[in-house]
Amino acid sequence: CGDRAVLRYSAAGIVHAITGEPVLVPDSFASIYGQDLAFTTAQLRPEDLEAGLLPLVLPGTGVRVWVAGVAAPVWYVSPTQINFLVPPFLVPRTEVEVWITVDGRAGPVVRV
């Protein structure tokens, strides 16, 4: 799978999951839209919860979302969309760096 296109996304495709605005709020759901974000599609299943918490990686996907250097819990992954929870303990600021890794391969770091 190393021959697949590199993760493609931009700050414009990272939005609040409900409002669609390019704003990330601590402890809220957000989405990343792009191309080649994952090799498969997976969504959260009850058995994926870890002590009642969302996992940092959905089984079989290798996809991680990083917000300000902190791994964010994910609940949906596909080649064109990832849904995640913005870490709750992040301090609100005007910009934050976000990036995705798939099996350790990093995509671009973008400022949101």
Side-chain angles (χ1 to χ4, degrees):
C1 48
D3 293 338
R4 295 225 17 206
V6 176
L7 304 151
R8 291 183 288 161
Y9 54 92
S10 68
I14 302 174
V15 297
H16 189 278
I18 296 172
T19 67
E21 296 293 321
V23 176
L24 298 184
V25 178
D27 206 25
S28 68
F29 288 116
S31 298
I32 299 174
Y33 296 96
Q35 298 290 320
D36 302 312
L37 303 178
F39 298 120
T40 187
T41 298
Q43 62 186 9
L44 182 71
R45 300 169 304 163
E47 57 269 24
D48 297 334
L49 295 174
E50 301 166 0
L53 301 174
L54 293 172
L56 299 179
V57 178
L58 288 176
T61 68
V63 175
R64 287 184 187 264
V65 175
W66 301 88
V67 180
V70 176
V74 295
W75 55 280
Y76 177 80
V77 170
S78 80
T80 59
Q81 179 179 348
I82 298 171
N83 294 337
F84 66 99
L85 178 67
V86 178
F89 51 84
L90 290 179
V91 176
R93 56 189 94 166
T94 56
E95 282 189 339
V96 65
E97 291 182 336
V98 176
W99 67 93
I100 300 168
T101 60
V102 178
D103 296 330
R105 186 187 71 214
V109 175
V110 297
R111 292 184 180 273
V112 179

